[in-house]
Amino acid sequence: MKAISELNLPEDVRYTDDHEWAKNSGDAVRIGISDYAQDQLGDIVFVELPEVGSTFDKGEEFGTVESVKAVSELYMPMGGEVTAINESLADAPELVNSDPYDGGWMIEIKASDPAEMEAMKSKADYLEMLKG
């Protein structure tokens, strides 16, 4: 397990209490799990993602991530319609471990309320939460 100081937590993403992240990517919002979450889960062996066109409200479960330790639910950091899924994760779920913010992103959505991103935690707020 990584020490808090070793975590990769980019400044340009927002974080949730459930350890998902969201980042503006043009007209879309890209979503995945944080470096902390992937580190806690251990080696990820499978990621179940929704179909493009699915819509979810903030806080709804949109998929699961399976590691050698456990299966964990994935929760929407904000509401919206899924416009893309990371097809690479079907064959290489370990990308979530090695590159959680770029190669290991999970879904892109068209946000139903872009202001929901402002309610998420900044890097500093997320770090404070992790330190307890």
Side-chain angles (χ1 to χ4, degrees):
M1 300 264 186
K2 294 180 180 179
I4 300 267
S5 61
E6 297 174 314
L7 293 172
N8 172 18
L9 300 173
E11 294 278 356
D12 63 344
V13 303
R14 304 291 285 185
Y15 301 90
T16 69
D17 292 348
D18 293 318
H19 311 291
E20 282 83 19
W21 58 263
K23 176 182 178 179
N24 280 319
S25 177
D27 289 339
V29 176
R30 193 167 267 192
I31 294 169
I33 62 170
S34 72
D35 191 31
Y36 173 83
Q38 72 76 22
D39 186 56
Q40 294 294 306
L41 285 166
D43 293 335
I44 292 173
V45 295
F46 183 73
V47 180
E48 179 184 306
L49 298 172
E51 292 184 17
V52 170
S54 303
T55 56
F56 298 93
D57 291 329
K58 178 181 177 184
E60 274 193 295
E61 184 180 321
F62 73 86
T64 57
V65 61
E66 186 176 335
S67 72
V68 292
K69 293 182 185 176
V71 176
S72 295
E73 290 78 25
L74 299 166
Y75 298 101
M76 290 293 284
M78 58 195 305
E81 178 182 346
V82 178
T83 57
I85 63 168
N86 186 347
E87 303 278 357
S88 301
L89 298 181
D91 296 324
E94 66 276 4
L95 286 169
V96 176
N97 292 118
S98 62
D99 193 10
Y101 304 102
D102 291 315
W105 66 275
M106 295 180 175
I107 63 174
E108 283 186 353
I109 65 166
K110 181 179 187 326
S112 51
D113 180 3
E116 286 180 333
M117 188 174 283
E118 297 310 311
M120 287 183 241
K121 291 178 168 19
S122 65
K123 174 184 176 177
D125 292 339
Y126 186 64
L127 269 171
E128 282 304 308
M129 183 191 85
L130 294 178
K131 290 175 185 172

